[in-house]
Structure formats: structure tokens, C-alpha cells
Amino acid sequence: MSLSADEVRRVADLARLELSDAEIALMATQLSAIVDYINQLQSINTDGVEPLAHASDVHDIFREDVPVVSLPPAEALANAPARKGDFYRVPPVFGE
Amino acid sequence: MSHRIIIGLEVHVQLLTKTKLFCGCSTQFGLPPNSATCPVCCGMPGTLPVMNRQAFRLSIEAAVALNCTIAPFTKWDRKNYFYPDLPKNYQISQYDLPFSSNGSLEIETSAGSRTIGIIRAHLEEDAGKMLHDENAGRNDSLVDLNRTGTPLLEIVSQPEMETAEEAKAYLEAIRLLLREIGVSDCEMQEGSLRCDANVNLHVAQPDGSFVATPIIEVKNLNTIRGVERALNYEVDRQAAELERNLESGYWQIDTSRPGKFRDYNIVPIAERRADGTLRPVSKATAGWDERIGRTEVQRRKEEASDYRYFPEPDLVPVTVDETLLAQIRQELGELPAAQNARLQSQYGLTAYDAGVLSRQGRAFVAYFEIVANRCGDAKEACNWIINDLLSTLNERKLDIKLCPLPAESLGDLIREIKAIGLNKQRAREVYADMIDTGESVKQVIDRKGFKPVTDDNQLLELVRKAIAANSKAVADFKKGKTKAADAIKGFVMRETKGMANTETVQRLLLEELAKV
């Protein structure tokens, strides 16, 4: 398996996910399969192949700097679990 | 112990667009909370960002003005982190292919001018704003997403500034430049210019090497003066901390990890743990408290942040061709550094005077040039503008564009002053009158009767009258007190309301005194 339980714990931590030991083991198996597949791709010789920045060959797509009507605050906040006036209310944040 | 101060600045400026970077919501400051958001900037699933053409254009203009190399091909990346002010849980930023790099900016300090290197400038989106709510015993945070998605240019300097004064000058130079070219209004109070400062010390060792104190990133710098104060405080704090911790044995110089900085060797600091092993002291962040004038070191980061950057699949890359760059270069016009140099070479101004003028911006320099060309005396034009006009504008809190005295009128005034030998006091009287009445210099001088006395016979008569009326001064002069002549001359000047040519009076007076 290409991913250890500790690596999965760290990735879960970065993604703010709390996983049980059983879930960690399951994720390690599943994520390893993905990583193994990528490693398989890595083994292809890409000498002389230009790096690809985007899957589509399109570039330079812009919109003009013209204002549009925004959502009314009530609608913007409709899904907020908690609010105070027209602010979203979230638990206190310490550090990052 | 002597030390070198190493300062690098990360500056964020909001671009002067009407709408956000990836959606059409307004970027206007001070709107009611959460009234300028939409599914795109709120990070709703299934929405797609589309790049604001004007934001990209302004970014290129700024980078060209900062002498950066512009990449012909650039792309955006996701910077992943979780924070309530970032609804998508990632910020669209630029990682390995920023649109610009390798720039420079000229700064002016009391020590002269210096060029500070710029590592890169890239275009990203701003996050929302957090407010802390301490009502009802709770310690919740409130989030306003209006700012989310506002176009933000991040400009990263080389760690090349060596004093807090240089850091201040760098910010002032960036602010002047970006305001002049209309890229950002750079209002620190409104958050459209923000700054984080990385600072540490390289302390000289007897063997010629330097000990590097751990780098501190100072955040929450809301004023340019605050940046200077915070850096000065932080430098003293790091010097004291190093001395204290080396003396107590808590810190050790870690010779096992030597490094190089520019052309000299540096060694880092390590922390002695309870089991006797050494552990590197990592970079930390510190908050600046403007009120108490102190930096407060927050936790040290055990490992570098892991933002798991990856290419943004929802945005396509952007290309820049020479035609666009040539057009931008042409439209940018003369930038502050070039203007400063030209004021010195074309008008013979001192570096100081040229600096004062160019720091006031293009419109101000244009005003100066009209005055200088009209009166034919650039130095005098500069003196009047710096000493008198600037005070008038400051007192009335006016921009040069609303200056109550047209440049042509000030030029005429200076020329007239010279032509009729008006003294400074009278000249200032005319200046103030011209501003109040809007009349021309000729009209004001006529009205006030400031007619120069040029008739030598009339002056001779006055000199004789003065000699007759000042017998004591004449006697003193005859005893060898040459200064006594000034009192007699003063009499003549009073009689002529200061309108006599002092050199003529002096000559006539000495001739007459010789006859006494």
C-alpha cells in the first residue's frame, strides 16, 4: 500500500475531517489505489513533452468589468447555519 | 554585537475594478454586510469563475511599472485552506507560473536612493472579512463576504531592506506608483493596501560569520507609520531575545546547519530540548498591536503550511503578447522614478527638491513645469511651490487639481517679483491676494500700489533725508561701525514701502555718507 495510516491522518487533518481508525484504514486502501494509479502514469517517459497547464486547449477567456445585481442578503444567507443580522455567525476561530 | 537587519515585504493591493475578479459583484467599499455576493463568490457548487479583463490588465500595468518581466503564459492555482472567510475552502491564486517576476522599485530615504528587488507580483482573489462578536458571553466570529473575490495583487519584495525607514519608503513608493497609474487607491485604512513584513537579524560573530535569528512575519500592519514602528520594535525585541536565550543556554548557535546569504555565511539558532537534543527554531508570526506599540509573537509553525496547491481547472490560462505590453508601456507615461530623474536633469533641481515634487504626483509635477517655464527660473518656481503653494493646499486640504491659483498666474507672479525687485514679504502679500481675489499679478500690484521706485533722483533725495534724520547712525558709521548704515538704509526702505532697489539705495547711501 502506498499510503500509510499516518499520511491519511495528516491529509484528513488538513481537510478538517475527523475519521475513526476503521475509516482511516479504509481510506488508506482506497486512496492508495488512486495514488498507485498516478504512480503508474508517472512511470511514462515524458521527455520532450510540453507540460500541460490545462486539459482544454482554450485560453484568454475574460468577462468585462461590468457590475451585475448581487443576491439580496436574505437570499445569500439563506443556507447559513447561524447568523446575526446580515452576518454569517461562526464559532470562534483560533489560529488557523 | 553589531547586526544586519533583513526585511522583506509582502504587499497586497486591491485593484481599482468595478467588479470582483471572477463575478460581477461590486467591489465598492463600505456596502452593507453580505449585500455584494453571488453564488460564484459565495463558493456555491456548480458555479464557474470567469476572469475580469480589467483586473488582469491593471495587474499587468502594475507589474510593468514595477519593471517586472511579464510571463507570456500564465495560469491560476488553488491554494487550499479552511477558514470561515474563505467560502470555497480554497483561494484562487498563482503558484508556479505567476504572470510577472524579477522587478525592482526605487526608494528614497534620508540616506539617498536605492533599488529594491521584487521577486514576483501575482493576481489572486481576496477573502471575506471577519469581525469578532463578544456579545452575550459568546465569542463568536461574524463573517461578511462582500470582500470575497475582490481582485488582489500580491507584490513580494526581495529580503533587501535593511532599516524600518527603508520599509516605509518602499511602501510609500509602491503607493505613489500604483496611485499614479490608477491601479489601486492604496488606502490602508480601507484595507486596499495591506502589508506583512518578514524580518530577522544577522548578528556578527567574532569569526566573521553571522547568526541568523528566526524569521518573524509581522501581520496586522494597518498604517505605513505602523510598519516602521513595528519593525523598529521587532528588531530590538529579536536582539534582546537572542542575547537572553543564548545566555541562558535555551538557544544555541547551530553550526551543523550553515547557510549562505548573499555573499556571507550565516548559521541558524536551535532550541535545546529537555532531553539535550537540538531542534531548529522555526519561523513564527507576530501580530502588531498599534495601541500598545508592541509585536506579540504567536505560535511557531512546526512545519511549513501545506496548502496543497494544484492547477485551477475552472480557469483557462492567459497569454500576453508583445503588442499588449508595448501598448501598456506607452500608456503608462512617465513613472515617478523617471520623473524624479528628469526634474533634476532638465530643471537642475536638487535630488531633495525633485523628490518633494515627484512624491506629490504627476499633476503636481505638471503644475511645477508650467510655473517653471512661465517664469524661467525653475529653482525659484520650486521654492514657491514647496514653501508656499504646498502649505496653501495643505491648509485648505486641497488637491493640486483644485488649486486656487493657476500655474500660469504663479509663474507670472514669480517673473514679476524678479522684474520689479519685490521683497519676499510683499511678494507673499500679493500671492495671498491673488488667491483671494483671483486677479492677475499686475492687477494686484497696481491696486496695492507696489510700484518700484526706480528713479535715482527720487532715491537720492530719500537717502539725503535719511542721513539728515539719523544723525546718531551717521556718527556711528563715521566712527567705523559699518553696520550703522543698515539703520539709515532701513529708513529709505520704509519710506518707499520696501519698493526701492536695495542695491541702488546701498550705492547711493555709501556715496552720500562719504560726502558727510
Side-chain angles (χ1 to χ4, degrees):
Chain A
M1 221 162 28
S2 48
L3 277 182
S4 69
D6 275 349
E7 284 171 309
V8 175
R9 254 185 220 103
R10 167 147 171 73
V11 173
D13 187 50
L14 286 170
R16 300 291 187 270
L17 294 173
E18 204 174 58
L19 301 180
S20 68
D21 285 351
E23 285 168 326
I24 295 276
L26 179 66
M27 285 296 137
T29 316
Q30 293 182 349
L31 291 176
S32 288
I34 298 170
V35 173
D36 289 343
Y37 173 63
I38 301 295
N39 282 339
Q40 196 185 335
L41 291 179
Q42 293 276 39
S43 67
I44 298 166
N45 183 347
T46 55
D47 288 353
V49 178
E50 228 182 287
L52 186 70
H54 199 276
S56 153
D57 201 21
V58 179
H59 50 74
D60 303 329
I61 303 292
F62 292 104
R63 45 169 273 274
E64 299 309 315
D65 186 25
V66 179
V68 298
V69 177
S70 296
L71 289 175
E75 223 171 292
L77 287 148
N79 296 326
R83 56 188 279 189
K84 179 177 180 178
D86 282 338
F87 289 98
Y88 296 86
R89 203 177 77 204
V90 296
V93 183
F94 297 108
E96 267 161 47
Chain B
M1 285 187 285
S2 76
H3 60 237
R4 299 177 180 184
I5 303 167
I6 316 295
I7 300 168
L9 296 181
E10 252 175 48
V11 172
H12 287 92
V13 292
Q14 287 181 351
L15 302 176
L16 275 174
T17 54
K18 293 188 189 74
T19 67
K20 295 186 179 181
L21 187 51
F22 303 122
C23 64
C25 290
S26 171
T27 53
Q28 198 187 320
F29 180 80
L31 292 175
N34 293 304
S35 64
T37 68
C38 74
V40 175
C41 56
C42 281
M44 297 292 174
T47 58
L48 282 175
V50 186
M51 180 77 61
N52 181 332
R53 186 188 301 277
Q54 177 67 357
F56 187 68
R57 164 98 190 191
L58 291 175
S59 303
I60 300 274
E61 287 177 9
V64 168
L66 289 165
N67 304 308
C68 287
T69 304
I70 309 297
F73 178 94
T74 186
K75 70 167 174 78
W76 278 262
D77 301 273
R78 287 189 185 179
K79 179 180 179 179
N80 298 279
Y81 66 93
F82 290 79
Y83 207 72
D85 63 7
L86 191 73
K88 295 198 299 291
N89 293 334
Y90 58 84
Q91 178 193 29
I92 300 180
S93 181
Q94 298 201 279
Y95 183 54
D96 57 341
L97 292 175
F99 77 87
S100 77
S101 58
N102 276 324
S104 67
L105 181 66
E106 205 168 300
I107 63 166
E108 297 278 341
T109 64
S110 54
S113 72
R114 255 195 87 194
T115 301
I116 303 296
I118 285 166
I119 296 175
R120 63 189 272 170
H122 70 247
L123 177 59
E124 61 186 26
E125 57 176 335
D126 206 345
K129 215 147 97 185
M130 305 272 293
L131 287 103
H132 296 284
D133 181 24
E134 288 173 16
N135 286 340
R138 298 177 61 101
N139 240 337
D140 287 352
S141 296
L142 302 178
V143 186
D144 176 4
L145 295 182
N146 283 348
R147 202 177 66 182
T148 308
T150 296
L152 209 55
L153 186 69
E154 177 173 326
I155 303 164
V156 186
S157 84
Q158 294 281 359
E160 286 183 348
M161 282 156 273
E162 292 165 356
T163 60
E165 190 199 357
E166 285 189 345
K168 177 172 169 255
Y170 173 87
L171 286 172
E172 283 169 345
I174 283 209
R175 186 173 63 178
L176 173 65
L177 182 70
L178 299 186
R179 279 180 176 171
E180 286 286 278
I181 63 175
V183 159
S184 173
D185 57 13
C186 295
E187 294 288 355
M188 284 190 98
Q189 274 74 17
E190 294 183 1
S192 66
L193 187 158
R194 309 199 285 274
C195 173
D196 297 332
N198 282 289
V199 56
N200 75 329
L201 308 180
H202 291 173
V203 183
Q205 298 303 293
D207 67 358
S209 71
F210 287 81
V211 170
T213 59
I215 295 173
I216 298 287
E217 183 180 358
V218 187
K219 293 186 169 281
N220 200 22
L221 299 167
N222 299 322
T223 61
I224 289 185
R225 175 93 186 95
V227 172
E228 192 183 22
R229 284 177 69 209
L231 286 169
N232 279 326
Y233 178 87
E234 185 56 26
V235 164
D236 291 346
R237 193 200 62 76
Q238 287 189 22
E241 180 185 44
L242 179 70
E243 202 171 316
R244 189 175 66 241
N245 285 342
L246 284 179
E247 207 170 285
S248 71
Y250 175 55
W251 277 3
Q252 273 202 357
I253 296 169
D254 187 357
T255 49
S256 70
R257 293 186 298 137
K260 240 182 143 42
F261 187 81
R262 291 186 211 139
D263 57 347
Y264 58 90
N265 297 318
I266 53 170
V267 280
I269 283 297
E271 190 180 287
R272 181 179 289 278
R273 299 171 103 169
D275 62 6
T277 57
L278 291 177
R279 181 177 62 172
V281 182
S282 47
K283 179 180 164 170
T285 54
W288 166 248
D289 190 327
E290 181 91 43
R291 202 171 34 84
I292 58 169
R294 294 180 53 166
T295 51
E296 209 67 59
V297 177
Q298 289 144 7
R299 71 193 168 82
R300 295 195 185 268
K301 295 171 183 167
E302 285 304 307
E303 48 193 281
S305 304
D306 187 347
Y307 291 120
R308 294 152 297 148
Y309 281 97
F310 65 84
E312 170 58 68
D314 289 346
L315 284 174
V316 294
V318 169
T319 58
V320 179
D321 58 20
E322 258 316 308
T323 321
L324 175 70
L325 291 181
Q327 190 196 347
I328 284 175
R329 275 192 201 99
Q330 199 190 353
E331 284 174 19
L332 278 179
E334 192 178 43
L335 300 174
Q339 195 163 58
N340 190 326
R342 186 172 62 80
L343 287 173
Q344 294 178 52
S345 62
Q346 186 180 337
Y347 293 97
L349 297 184
T350 61
Y352 175 83
D353 285 345
V356 173
L357 292 178
S358 54
R359 268 196 296 280
Q360 299 293 325
R362 275 179 192 168
F364 202 84
V365 171
Y367 185 99
F368 159 78
E369 294 196 70
I370 295 171
V371 177
N373 293 329
R374 186 100 168 183
C375 74
D377 185 342
K379 177 63 194 159
E380 202 50 30
C382 180
N383 286 345
W384 269 92
I385 288 172
I386 292 179
N387 298 329
D388 298 275
L389 190 80
L390 207 47
S391 325
T392 303
L393 295 174
N394 287 341
E395 276 162 23
R396 301 179 182 213
K397 296 192 168 48
L398 285 179
D399 186 85
I400 188 71
K401 286 171 192 137
L402 298 171
C403 181
L405 186 63
E408 291 79 6
S409 303
L410 182 56
D412 289 344
L413 170 65
I414 296 168
R415 200 177 46 198
E416 198 61 21
I417 291 165
K418 264 180 107 172
I420 66 172
L422 208 61
N423 71 22
K424 195 78 188 179
Q425 191 194 338
R426 293 276 188 240
R428 288 213 160 104
E429 223 176 286
V430 175
Y431 165 84
D433 199 299
M434 286 169 74
I435 291 177
D436 288 344
T437 63
E439 289 180 357
S440 73
V441 61
K442 288 239 191 280
Q443 285 171 313
V444 173
I445 284 178
D446 281 351
R447 177 160 44 75
K448 287 189 169 284
F450 290 163
K451 274 278 171 237
V453 182
T454 48
D455 181 351
D456 274 19
N457 287 331
Q458 196 190 338
L459 283 178
L460 186 61
E461 225 164 89
L462 280 169
V463 165
R464 286 179 179 152
K465 195 176 158 196
I467 287 173
N470 291 278
S471 51
K472 176 150 188 332
V474 173
D476 285 347
F477 182 82
K478 285 289 171 190
K479 279 184 224 153
K481 288 190 190 168
T482 47
K483 276 225 173 268
D486 289 349
I488 313 168
K489 198 165 76 186
F491 181 93
V492 179
M493 298 311 288
R494 274 193 302 280
E495 287 284 309
T496 58
K497 291 183 182 167
M499 294 309 300
N501 183 304
T502 50
E503 280 164 27
T504 312
V505 174
Q506 177 80 9
R507 178 173 54 77
L508 291 172
L509 180 62
L510 291 179
E511 281 170 16
E512 286 305 300
L513 281 171
K515 294 180 196 159
V516 176

